[in-house]
Amino acid sequence: MKDYALIATAYQNTVRIYVASSTNLVEEARNIHDTWPTATAAFGRFLTVSAMMGLMFKEGERITLRIKGDGPIGAMLVEANHLGEVRGEIQNPQIYIKYDEGPKAGKLNVGAAVGQGFLHITKDLGMKDFFTSSSTLQTGEIGDDFTYYFATSEQTPSSVGVGVLVDVDQHCLASGGYILQLMPNVTEETINHIETLIQNIPPMSTLIHEGKSPEDILHVLASGTEHILKKHDITYACHCSKDGFSRSLSALDEETLHTLIHDDGFAEIECHFCRKKYLFDKHELEHIRIQRKKA
Ligand code: ZN
């Protein structure tokens, strides 16, 4: 089954809801970055919320999201766009931490792996208009951190739920999430109703693993009042190209370029987002250098 997201209104147009299934996207990210279970869960949750957020934007706009925590994972970065495409990088992918004790004993401890720090979101609205806003991480569990971000940085009371289930063989078994945003005209009654509902809903990864579709989950979150506005595929996609990296090479200083041409005789560049490797031979490097001199 393909990953996709639904955008809907509910409760008589007073609540906006995004729901996504993202199992394949997270599994692809795991394969590319060789993430271990706790990193798969943290990065997968981050990618899932980012994919839904990307759908809030228009063509030509995109967002870059950064989570910088003091936990062993280090920094994570995700880029998202209006097509539901995401790509990202993670500093330390090989992290596997579980809760030792308490009610969550044996479960992946995403909060400890991410740690304390900040969530930074930069919106590129085209025409060189950039806006960055930041908020402090609340628990490092990602969902709570985005809930806090929307409330403080965007003044939109929201609830974000996201979960990734990792199998014993380490592959991603199920992943999904929702963003529920209250519009200014929402009633006190609806708010109370939603609060109770969210407290009692099973984790997103459990629902997806049980075979529930985004439509099923939306139906529960909206208590049957949903009106679907849009259904959109979400994917892990990187559009890097050799042309793009040749531009990066031409931005190198003369000494570095000289060393690459005369000492190494080649340059191999790996894309941080998809791990694809691009090889530039001596002839191509010379060409980049000559073209640069002309410019
Ligand atoms: Zn790439």
mmCIF file with all atom_site columns, all heavy atoms in Angstrom, residues 42-62:
data_model
loop_
_atom_site.group_PDB
_atom_site.id
_atom_site.type_symbol
_atom_site.label_atom_id
_atom_site.label_alt_id
_atom_site.label_comp_id
_atom_site.label_asym_id
_atom_site.label_entity_id
_atom_site.label_seq_id
_atom_site.pdbx_PDB_ins_code
_atom_site.Cartn_x
_atom_site.Cartn_y
_atom_site.Cartn_z
_atom_site.occupancy
_atom_site.B_iso_or_equiv
_atom_site.pdbx_formal_charge
_atom_site.auth_seq_id
_atom_site.auth_comp_id
_atom_site.auth_asym_id
_atom_site.auth_atom_id
_atom_site.pdbx_PDB_model_num
ATOM 1   N N   . ALA A 1 42 ? 12.750 7.903  15.786  1.00 0.00 ? 42 ALA A N   1
ATOM 2   C CA  . ALA A 1 42 ? 12.875 9.365  15.904  1.00 0.00 ? 42 ALA A CA  1
ATOM 3   C C   . ALA A 1 42 ? 12.843 10.034 14.529  1.00 0.00 ? 42 ALA A C   1
ATOM 4   O O   . ALA A 1 42 ? 12.050 10.948 14.279  1.00 0.00 ? 42 ALA A O   1
ATOM 5   C CB  . ALA A 1 42 ? 14.184 9.719  16.620  1.00 0.00 ? 42 ALA A CB  1
ATOM 6   N N   . PHE A 1 43 ? 13.669 9.539  13.631  1.00 0.00 ? 43 PHE A N   1
ATOM 7   C CA  . PHE A 1 43 ? 13.778 10.106 12.286  1.00 0.00 ? 43 PHE A CA  1
ATOM 8   C C   . PHE A 1 43 ? 12.466 9.882  11.513  1.00 0.00 ? 43 PHE A C   1
ATOM 9   O O   . PHE A 1 43 ? 11.983 10.770 10.809  1.00 0.00 ? 43 PHE A O   1
ATOM 10  C CB  . PHE A 1 43 ? 14.961 9.434  11.575  1.00 0.00 ? 43 PHE A CB  1
ATOM 11  C CG  . PHE A 1 43 ? 15.443 10.115 10.326  1.00 0.00 ? 43 PHE A CG  1
ATOM 12  C CD1 . PHE A 1 43 ? 15.561 11.499 10.249  1.00 0.00 ? 43 PHE A CD1 1
ATOM 13  C CD2 . PHE A 1 43 ? 15.819 9.357  9.216   1.00 0.00 ? 43 PHE A CD2 1
ATOM 14  C CE1 . PHE A 1 43 ? 16.025 12.110 9.092   1.00 0.00 ? 43 PHE A CE1 1
ATOM 15  C CE2 . PHE A 1 43 ? 16.296 9.961  8.060   1.00 0.00 ? 43 PHE A CE2 1
ATOM 16  C CZ  . PHE A 1 43 ? 16.394 11.339 7.993   1.00 0.00 ? 43 PHE A CZ  1
ATOM 17  N N   . GLY A 1 44 ? 11.885 8.702  11.682  1.00 0.00 ? 44 GLY A N   1
ATOM 18  C CA  . GLY A 1 44 ? 10.628 8.367  11.010  1.00 0.00 ? 44 GLY A CA  1
ATOM 19  C C   . GLY A 1 44 ? 9.487  9.266  11.465  1.00 0.00 ? 44 GLY A C   1
ATOM 20  O O   . GLY A 1 44 ? 8.685  9.735  10.659  1.00 0.00 ? 44 GLY A O   1
ATOM 21  N N   . ARG A 1 45 ? 9.404  9.530  12.766  1.00 0.00 ? 45 ARG A N   1
ATOM 22  C CA  . ARG A 1 45 ? 8.363  10.438 13.270  1.00 0.00 ? 45 ARG A CA  1
ATOM 23  C C   . ARG A 1 45 ? 8.571  11.834 12.693  1.00 0.00 ? 45 ARG A C   1
ATOM 24  O O   . ARG A 1 45 ? 7.619  12.492 12.262  1.00 0.00 ? 45 ARG A O   1
ATOM 25  C CB  . ARG A 1 45 ? 8.437  10.520 14.804  1.00 0.00 ? 45 ARG A CB  1
ATOM 26  C CG  . ARG A 1 45 ? 7.993  9.260  15.513  1.00 0.00 ? 45 ARG A CG  1
ATOM 27  C CD  . ARG A 1 45 ? 8.135  9.452  17.018  1.00 0.00 ? 45 ARG A CD  1
ATOM 28  N NE  . ARG A 1 45 ? 7.968  8.200  17.752  1.00 0.00 ? 45 ARG A NE  1
ATOM 29  C CZ  . ARG A 1 45 ? 8.014  8.115  19.089  1.00 0.00 ? 45 ARG A CZ  1
ATOM 30  N NH1 . ARG A 1 45 ? 8.229  9.200  19.805  1.00 0.00 ? 45 ARG A NH1 1
ATOM 31  N NH2 . ARG A 1 45 ? 7.849  6.957  19.683  1.00 0.00 ? 45 ARG A NH2 1
ATOM 32  N N   . PHE A 1 46 ? 9.835  12.270 12.705  1.00 0.00 ? 46 PHE A N   1
ATOM 33  C CA  . PHE A 1 46 ? 10.186 13.607 12.205  1.00 0.00 ? 46 PHE A CA  1
ATOM 34  C C   . PHE A 1 46 ? 9.812  13.733 10.720  1.00 0.00 ? 46 PHE A C   1
ATOM 35  O O   . PHE A 1 46 ? 9.197  14.706 10.294  1.00 0.00 ? 46 PHE A O   1
ATOM 36  C CB  . PHE A 1 46 ? 11.689 13.819 12.429  1.00 0.00 ? 46 PHE A CB  1
ATOM 37  C CG  . PHE A 1 46 ? 12.190 15.213 12.189  1.00 0.00 ? 46 PHE A CG  1
ATOM 38  C CD1 . PHE A 1 46 ? 11.344 16.313 12.228  1.00 0.00 ? 46 PHE A CD1 1
ATOM 39  C CD2 . PHE A 1 46 ? 13.542 15.434 11.944  1.00 0.00 ? 46 PHE A CD2 1
ATOM 40  C CE1 . PHE A 1 46 ? 11.831 17.606 12.020  1.00 0.00 ? 46 PHE A CE1 1
ATOM 41  C CE2 . PHE A 1 46 ? 14.031 16.710 11.742  1.00 0.00 ? 46 PHE A CE2 1
ATOM 42  C CZ  . PHE A 1 46 ? 13.178 17.796 11.767  1.00 0.00 ? 46 PHE A CZ  1
ATOM 43  N N   . LEU A 1 47 ? 10.151 12.726 9.918   1.00 0.00 ? 47 LEU A N   1
ATOM 44  C CA  . LEU A 1 47 ? 9.837  12.740 8.486   1.00 0.00 ? 47 LEU A CA  1
ATOM 45  C C   . LEU A 1 47 ? 8.325  12.754 8.249   1.00 0.00 ? 47 LEU A C   1
ATOM 46  O O   . LEU A 1 47 ? 7.834  13.445 7.359   1.00 0.00 ? 47 LEU A O   1
ATOM 47  C CB  . LEU A 1 47 ? 10.438 11.494 7.805   1.00 0.00 ? 47 LEU A CB  1
ATOM 48  C CG  . LEU A 1 47 ? 11.955 11.495 7.592   1.00 0.00 ? 47 LEU A CG  1
ATOM 49  C CD1 . LEU A 1 47 ? 12.439 10.076 7.291   1.00 0.00 ? 47 LEU A CD1 1
ATOM 50  C CD2 . LEU A 1 47 ? 12.363 12.429 6.451   1.00 0.00 ? 47 LEU A CD2 1
ATOM 51  N N   . THR A 1 48 ? 7.588  11.993 9.067   1.00 0.00 ? 48 THR A N   1
ATOM 52  C CA  . THR A 1 48 ? 6.140  11.884 8.889   1.00 0.00 ? 48 THR A CA  1
ATOM 53  C C   . THR A 1 48 ? 5.440  13.219 9.156   1.00 0.00 ? 48 THR A C   1
ATOM 54  O O   . THR A 1 48 ? 4.602  13.669 8.361   1.00 0.00 ? 48 THR A O   1
ATOM 55  C CB  . THR A 1 48 ? 5.571  10.794 9.831   1.00 0.00 ? 48 THR A CB  1
ATOM 56  O OG1 . THR A 1 48 ? 6.234  9.556  9.530   1.00 0.00 ? 48 THR A OG1 1
ATOM 57  C CG2 . THR A 1 48 ? 4.076  10.618 9.658   1.00 0.00 ? 48 THR A CG2 1
ATOM 58  N N   . VAL A 1 49 ? 5.790  13.878 10.263  1.00 0.00 ? 49 VAL A N   1
ATOM 59  C CA  . VAL A 1 49 ? 5.171  15.182 10.562  1.00 0.00 ? 49 VAL A CA  1
ATOM 60  C C   . VAL A 1 49 ? 5.587  16.196 9.494   1.00 0.00 ? 49 VAL A C   1
ATOM 61  O O   . VAL A 1 49 ? 4.777  16.997 9.017   1.00 0.00 ? 49 VAL A O   1
ATOM 62  C CB  . VAL A 1 49 ? 5.554  15.686 11.979  1.00 0.00 ? 49 VAL A CB  1
ATOM 63  C CG1 . VAL A 1 49 ? 4.895  17.032 12.252  1.00 0.00 ? 49 VAL A CG1 1
ATOM 64  C CG2 . VAL A 1 49 ? 5.137  14.687 13.043  1.00 0.00 ? 49 VAL A CG2 1
ATOM 65  N N   . SER A 1 50 ? 6.854  16.144 9.075   1.00 0.00 ? 50 SER A N   1
ATOM 66  C CA  . SER A 1 50 ? 7.350  17.080 8.058   1.00 0.00 ? 50 SER A CA  1
ATOM 67  C C   . SER A 1 50 ? 6.598  16.919 6.739   1.00 0.00 ? 50 SER A C   1
ATOM 68  O O   . SER A 1 50 ? 6.288  17.918 6.074   1.00 0.00 ? 50 SER A O   1
ATOM 69  C CB  . SER A 1 50 ? 8.847  16.863 7.811   1.00 0.00 ? 50 SER A CB  1
ATOM 70  O OG  . SER A 1 50 ? 9.577  17.024 9.008   1.00 0.00 ? 50 SER A OG  1
ATOM 71  N N   . ALA A 1 51 ? 6.313  15.665 6.360   1.00 0.00 ? 51 ALA A N   1
ATOM 72  C CA  . ALA A 1 51 ? 5.589  15.416 5.109   1.00 0.00 ? 51 ALA A CA  1
ATOM 73  C C   . ALA A 1 51 ? 4.200  16.049 5.168   1.00 0.00 ? 51 ALA A C   1
ATOM 74  O O   . ALA A 1 51 ? 3.747  16.673 4.200   1.00 0.00 ? 51 ALA A O   1
ATOM 75  C CB  . ALA A 1 51 ? 5.486  13.913 4.847   1.00 0.00 ? 51 ALA A CB  1
ATOM 76  N N   . MET A 1 52 ? 3.531  15.925 6.307   1.00 0.00 ? 52 MET A N   1
ATOM 77  C CA  . MET A 1 52 ? 2.201  16.539 6.446   1.00 0.00 ? 52 MET A CA  1
ATOM 78  C C   . MET A 1 52 ? 2.307  18.060 6.429   1.00 0.00 ? 52 MET A C   1
ATOM 79  O O   . MET A 1 52 ? 1.496  18.744 5.813   1.00 0.00 ? 52 MET A O   1
ATOM 80  C CB  . MET A 1 52 ? 1.531  16.071 7.746   1.00 0.00 ? 52 MET A CB  1
ATOM 81  C CG  . MET A 1 52 ? 1.085  14.623 7.706   1.00 0.00 ? 52 MET A CG  1
ATOM 82  S SD  . MET A 1 52 ? 0.109  14.150 9.156   1.00 0.00 ? 52 MET A SD  1
ATOM 83  C CE  . MET A 1 52 ? 1.398  13.922 10.391  1.00 0.00 ? 52 MET A CE  1
ATOM 84  N N   . MET A 1 53 ? 3.335  18.589 7.081   1.00 0.00 ? 53 MET A N   1
ATOM 85  C CA  . MET A 1 53 ? 3.525  20.046 7.095   1.00 0.00 ? 53 MET A CA  1
ATOM 86  C C   . MET A 1 53 ? 3.818  20.578 5.701   1.00 0.00 ? 53 MET A C   1
ATOM 87  O O   . MET A 1 53 ? 3.369  21.662 5.336   1.00 0.00 ? 53 MET A O   1
ATOM 88  C CB  . MET A 1 53 ? 4.678  20.421 8.028   1.00 0.00 ? 53 MET A CB  1
ATOM 89  C CG  . MET A 1 53 ? 4.228  20.681 9.439   1.00 0.00 ? 53 MET A CG  1
ATOM 90  S SD  . MET A 1 53 ? 5.570  21.430 10.400  1.00 0.00 ? 53 MET A SD  1
ATOM 91  C CE  . MET A 1 53 ? 5.384  23.175 9.981   1.00 0.00 ? 53 MET A CE  1
ATOM 92  N N   . GLY A 1 54 ? 4.576  19.810 4.916   1.00 0.00 ? 54 GLY A N   1
ATOM 93  C CA  . GLY A 1 54 ? 4.892  20.223 3.546   1.00 0.00 ? 54 GLY A CA  1
ATOM 94  C C   . GLY A 1 54 ? 3.626  20.490 2.741   1.00 0.00 ? 54 GLY A C   1
ATOM 95  O O   . GLY A 1 54 ? 3.568  21.413 1.926   1.00 0.00 ? 54 GLY A O   1
ATOM 96  N N   . LEU A 1 55 ? 2.590  19.685 3.021   1.00 0.00 ? 55 LEU A N   1
ATOM 97  C CA  . LEU A 1 55 ? 1.327  19.825 2.293   1.00 0.00 ? 55 LEU A CA  1
ATOM 98  C C   . LEU A 1 55 ? 0.569  21.104 2.662   1.00 0.00 ? 55 LEU A C   1
ATOM 99  O O   . LEU A 1 55 ? -0.420 21.443 2.028   1.00 0.00 ? 55 LEU A O   1
ATOM 100 C CB  . LEU A 1 55 ? 0.436  18.597 2.535   1.00 0.00 ? 55 LEU A CB  1
ATOM 101 C CG  . LEU A 1 55 ? 0.997  17.273 2.000   1.00 0.00 ? 55 LEU A CG  1
ATOM 102 C CD1 . LEU A 1 55 ? 0.088  16.123 2.402   1.00 0.00 ? 55 LEU A CD1 1
ATOM 103 C CD2 . LEU A 1 55 ? 1.154  17.318 0.480   1.00 0.00 ? 55 LEU A CD2 1
ATOM 104 N N   . MET A 1 56 ? 1.028  21.807 3.699   1.00 0.00 ? 56 MET A N   1
ATOM 105 C CA  . MET A 1 56 ? 0.399  23.089 4.071   1.00 0.00 ? 56 MET A CA  1
ATOM 106 C C   . MET A 1 56 ? 0.903  24.218 3.185   1.00 0.00 ? 56 MET A C   1
ATOM 107 O O   . MET A 1 56 ? 0.421  25.337 3.261   1.00 0.00 ? 56 MET A O   1
ATOM 108 C CB  . MET A 1 56 ? 0.719  23.432 5.543   1.00 0.00 ? 56 MET A CB  1
ATOM 109 C CG  . MET A 1 56 ? 0.187  22.434 6.544   1.00 0.00 ? 56 MET A CG  1
ATOM 110 S SD  . MET A 1 56 ? 0.749  22.829 8.231   1.00 0.00 ? 56 MET A SD  1
ATOM 111 C CE  . MET A 1 56 ? 0.155  21.369 9.124   1.00 0.00 ? 56 MET A CE  1
ATOM 112 N N   . PHE A 1 57 ? 1.909  23.916 2.333   1.00 0.00 ? 57 PHE A N   1
ATOM 113 C CA  . PHE A 1 57 ? 2.526  24.961 1.517   1.00 0.00 ? 57 PHE A CA  1
ATOM 114 C C   . PHE A 1 57 ? 2.097  24.879 0.059   1.00 0.00 ? 57 PHE A C   1
ATOM 115 O O   . PHE A 1 57 ? 1.462  23.918 -0.354  1.00 0.00 ? 57 PHE A O   1
ATOM 116 C CB  . PHE A 1 57 ? 4.050  24.896 1.651   1.00 0.00 ? 57 PHE A CB  1
ATOM 117 C CG  . PHE A 1 57 ? 4.489  25.296 3.030   1.00 0.00 ? 57 PHE A CG  1
ATOM 118 C CD1 . PHE A 1 57 ? 4.460  24.377 4.069   1.00 0.00 ? 57 PHE A CD1 1
ATOM 119 C CD2 . PHE A 1 57 ? 4.868  26.597 3.299   1.00 0.00 ? 57 PHE A CD2 1
ATOM 120 C CE1 . PHE A 1 57 ? 4.817  24.745 5.360   1.00 0.00 ? 57 PHE A CE1 1
ATOM 121 C CE2 . PHE A 1 57 ? 5.224  26.977 4.574   1.00 0.00 ? 57 PHE A CE2 1
ATOM 122 C CZ  . PHE A 1 57 ? 5.198  26.052 5.611   1.00 0.00 ? 57 PHE A CZ  1
ATOM 123 N N   . LYS A 1 58 ? 2.473  25.931 -0.707  1.00 0.00 ? 58 LYS A N   1
ATOM 124 C CA  . LYS A 1 58 ? 2.092  26.024 -2.114  1.00 0.00 ? 58 LYS A CA  1
ATOM 125 C C   . LYS A 1 58 ? 3.285  25.693 -3.010  1.00 0.00 ? 58 LYS A C   1
ATOM 126 O O   . LYS A 1 58 ? 4.406  25.608 -2.539  1.00 0.00 ? 58 LYS A O   1
ATOM 127 C CB  . LYS A 1 58 ? 1.635  27.454 -2.421  1.00 0.00 ? 58 LYS A CB  1
ATOM 128 C CG  . LYS A 1 58 ? 0.371  27.872 -1.681  1.00 0.00 ? 58 LYS A CG  1
ATOM 129 C CD  . LYS A 1 58 ? -0.268 29.101 -2.315  1.00 0.00 ? 58 LYS A CD  1
ATOM 130 C CE  . LYS A 1 58 ? 0.499  30.388 -2.054  1.00 0.00 ? 58 LYS A CE  1
ATOM 131 N NZ  . LYS A 1 58 ? 0.286  30.972 -0.746  1.00 0.00 ? 58 LYS A NZ  1
ATOM 132 N N   . GLU A 1 59 ? 3.019  25.564 -4.282  1.00 0.00 ? 59 GLU A N   1
ATOM 133 C CA  . GLU A 1 59 ? 4.068  25.307 -5.257  1.00 0.00 ? 59 GLU A CA  1
ATOM 134 C C   . GLU A 1 59 ? 5.125  26.422 -5.177  1.00 0.00 ? 59 GLU A C   1
ATOM 135 O O   . GLU A 1 59 ? 4.775  27.602 -5.053  1.00 0.00 ? 59 GLU A O   1
ATOM 136 C CB  . GLU A 1 59 ? 3.469  25.260 -6.667  1.00 0.00 ? 59 GLU A CB  1
ATOM 137 C CG  . GLU A 1 59 ? 4.467  24.775 -7.685  1.00 0.00 ? 59 GLU A CG  1
ATOM 138 C CD  . GLU A 1 59 ? 3.846  24.624 -9.065  1.00 0.00 ? 59 GLU A CD  1
ATOM 139 O OE1 . GLU A 1 59 ? 2.619  24.746 -9.203  1.00 0.00 ? 59 GLU A OE1 1
ATOM 140 O OE2 . GLU A 1 59 ? 4.634  24.385 -10.005 1.00 0.00 ? 59 GLU A OE2 1
ATOM 141 N N   . GLY A 1 60 ? 6.393  26.021 -5.221  1.00 0.00 ? 60 GLY A N   1
ATOM 142 C CA  . GLY A 1 60 ? 7.469  27.016 -5.158  1.00 0.00 ? 60 GLY A CA  1
ATOM 143 C C   . GLY A 1 60 ? 7.909  27.326 -3.733  1.00 0.00 ? 60 GLY A C   1
ATOM 144 O O   . GLY A 1 60 ? 8.895  28.020 -3.523  1.00 0.00 ? 60 GLY A O   1
ATOM 145 N N   . GLU A 1 61 ? 7.161  26.808 -2.768  1.00 0.00 ? 61 GLU A N   1
ATOM 146 C CA  . GLU A 1 61 ? 7.525  27.009 -1.366  1.00 0.00 ? 61 GLU A CA  1
ATOM 147 C C   . GLU A 1 61 ? 8.045  25.686 -0.802  1.00 0.00 ? 61 GLU A C   1
ATOM 148 O O   . GLU A 1 61 ? 7.662  24.625 -1.274  1.00 0.00 ? 61 GLU A O   1
ATOM 149 C CB  . GLU A 1 61 ? 6.306  27.434 -0.536  1.00 0.00 ? 61 GLU A CB  1
ATOM 150 C CG  . GLU A 1 61 ? 5.633  28.688 -1.041  1.00 0.00 ? 61 GLU A CG  1
ATOM 151 C CD  . GLU A 1 61 ? 4.376  29.058 -0.258  1.00 0.00 ? 61 GLU A CD  1
ATOM 152 O OE1 . GLU A 1 61 ? 3.817  28.199 0.450   1.00 0.00 ? 61 GLU A OE1 1
ATOM 153 O OE2 . GLU A 1 61 ? 3.956  30.203 -0.374  1.00 0.00 ? 61 GLU A OE2 1
ATOM 154 N N   . ARG A 1 62 ? 8.928  25.758 0.169   1.00 0.00 ? 62 ARG A N   1
ATOM 155 C CA  . ARG A 1 62 ? 9.348  24.539 0.831   1.00 0.00 ? 62 ARG A CA  1
ATOM 156 C C   . ARG A 1 62 ? 9.823  24.854 2.241   1.00 0.00 ? 62 ARG A C   1
ATOM 157 O O   . ARG A 1 62 ? 10.073 26.020 2.573   1.00 0.00 ? 62 ARG A O   1
ATOM 158 C CB  . ARG A 1 62 ? 10.420 23.799 0.027   1.00 0.00 ? 62 ARG A CB  1
ATOM 159 C CG  . ARG A 1 62 ? 11.682 24.562 -0.146  1.00 0.00 ? 62 ARG A CG  1
ATOM 160 C CD  . ARG A 1 62 ? 12.511 24.036 -1.303  1.00 0.00 ? 62 ARG A CD  1
ATOM 161 N NE  . ARG A 1 62 ? 13.675 24.900 -1.429  1.00 0.00 ? 62 ARG A NE  1
ATOM 162 C CZ  . ARG A 1 62 ? 14.883 24.582 -1.001  1.00 0.00 ? 62 ARG A CZ  1
ATOM 163 N NH1 . ARG A 1 62 ? 15.118 23.421 -0.454  1.00 0.00 ? 62 ARG A NH1 1
ATOM 164 N NH2 . ARG A 1 62 ? 15.878 25.427 -1.124  1.00 0.00 ? 62 ARG A NH2 1
#
